[in-house]
Amino acid sequence: MTVRTTQTQPAPAAPARRPRDGMLIVNALGGLENPNAAEAAESAGGLLQGIDQMAIDDRAVADARASGVHAVNITLGYVMGDLEPYAHTLHEIGVWDELIRSRPHDLLHVRTAADLYRARDEDRVGVIYGFQNGVAVGDDLGRIAEFQRRGVRVFQLTYNQANHLGDGSMAPENRGLTPFGREVVEAVNESRMMVDLSHSGENTCLEAARISSVPVSINHTGCRAVTDLPRNKTDEELRLVASRGGFVGVYFMPFLNVTGHATADDVVAHLVHAVNVCGEDAVGIGTDGPVTAVDDLDAYREKLAQHVAERQAAGVGAAGERADTYPFVVDLRGVDQFRKLIGLLEREGWGSERIEKVLGRNFAHYAERVWG
């Protein structure tokens, strides 16, 4: 991922109202890019997983603020490809440090749970540094403390494939953690970062949740009991993570429906199931996408087939990714996505207390348990 800062896109006027005054909204995995910027338009990968190119510009920041989101866990560092993982990860941390320094009135680097509320109170967007693949640790456990000192707060163990820490969700053997992976979990615990089990294989998730001395998270997933695809988590995984004080974020992704054409109603269905399994104090949202919507879906669709094929050829695609499926929920995107979700949850009969927990308070309380 190359982060490019631009000021070429006009910033839209903010909506008249935000989702709800005082409500804390935290996206446990998302993005701050503008997928329509020229730099990002050259690569569909920037739209799928934030791993190729990403443009942070005035529109992206304005849209994030207008949406009401107060903090987002962004993906930085190595995820896949031919770049040297450790060097690339350090480079991207530096790029993000500079980006945040260049926008002190817009962005805040989140290092503690208190920073989530500070971002809300100061009308800034909090940026949580997170990994989606732990390979940058190499064979040096000391790097974990280094990443923590540099401000990383979320350490996802695996992407879809297997790595030297454990098996991802698409690894057919489903072997769980490696011996070194167990050491990494312990080191991440000691550094008080979140052990994120999104994308992990089932046995990797269950084992990590059991051995971790600190509550773990699944920051962006769906429920396999609702939609039987490997990127979604079983009730056993969900229940175990929640029972140990952890956190589960539901994404806005095609894996929420077996057709690959997920809708806002599917997001609600998975949230309802997650709350039924985990309890209302353990569930939140991790959309896995930016706030700024793709403006030209037809042009985007032309690039999507090639990118999905490349991901499959590289062995990092997930079951449910197809050329005709968008990596987002079409009717739950853009600056109104959180307002619309609140309305749908109210229609489901959820009260304001539960909605506020799921939109952000649960993540903040989980962050207090891990980060302090």
Side-chain angles (χ1 to χ4, degrees), residues 221-229 232 250-275 284-285 326 328-332 340-341 344-345 347-348 350:
T221 190
C223 306
R224 199 176 300 181
V226 180
T227 306
D228 189 9
L229 288 171
N232 298 329
V250 170
Y251 47 32
F252 299 2
M253 288 290 280
F255 312 112
L256 299 180
N257 190 298
V258 292
T259 68
H261 303 292
T263 67
D265 286 339
D266 292 313
V267 175
V268 171
H270 282 259
L271 282 170
V272 168
H273 184 82
V275 166
I285 54 170
Y326 296 122
F328 44 78
V329 174
V330 174
D331 62 339
L332 199 61
K340 182 171 183 179
L341 179 60
L344 292 172
L345 294 174
R347 187 187 69 184
E348 189 68 27
W350 286 22

Side-chain angles (χ1 to χ4, degrees), residues 136-307:
V137 71
D139 59 1
D140 184 356
L141 291 174
R143 291 179 179 177
I144 292 173
E146 178 186 12
F147 295 143
Q148 198 275 348
R149 287 193 299 270
R150 294 292 302 272
V152 176
R153 291 296 179 267
V154 180
F155 192 104
Q156 185 175 298
L157 297 181
T158 71
Y159 196 57
N160 288 332
Q161 68 276 47
N163 63 20
H164 69 307
L165 309 182
D167 278 11
S169 61
M170 294 305 298
E173 295 86 355
N174 191 24
R175 294 168 295 189
L177 291 170
T178 66
F180 185 67
R182 298 184 193 104
E183 295 182 51
V184 166
V185 170
E186 181 178 357
V188 174
N189 289 163
E190 291 175 354
S191 290
R192 306 302 294 187
M193 290 188 286
M194 294 178 181
V195 175
D196 184 2
L197 300 169
S198 306
H199 286 269
S200 68
E202 183 177 3
N203 284 334
T204 299
C205 180
L206 293 171
E207 185 176 0
R210 290 184 181 118
I211 70 170
S212 179
S213 61
V214 177
V216 299
S217 63
I218 310 169
N219 282 6
H220 60 297
T221 190
C223 306
R224 199 176 300 181
V226 180
T227 306
D228 189 9
L229 288 171
R231 269 291 285 113
N232 298 329
K233 293 299 187 183
T234 64
D235 284 359
E236 183 181 5
E237 293 169 273
L238 299 174
R239 190 175 293 111
L240 178 62
V241 167
S243 70
R244 292 173 175 255
F247 170 85
V248 172
V250 170
Y251 47 32
F252 299 2
M253 288 290 280
F255 312 112
L256 299 180
N257 190 298
V258 292
T259 68
H261 303 292
T263 67
D265 286 339
D266 292 313
V267 175
V268 171
H270 282 259
L271 282 170
V272 168
H273 184 82
V275 166
N276 287 340
V277 171
C278 301
E280 68 176 38
D281 294 327
V283 176
I285 54 170
T287 67
D288 206 3
V291 169
T292 300
V294 175
D295 292 335
D296 189 342
L297 287 177
D298 289 336
Y300 172 72
R301 191 183 299 113
E302 292 178 2
K303 296 178 178 291
L304 183 60
Q306 177 182 353
H307 185 74

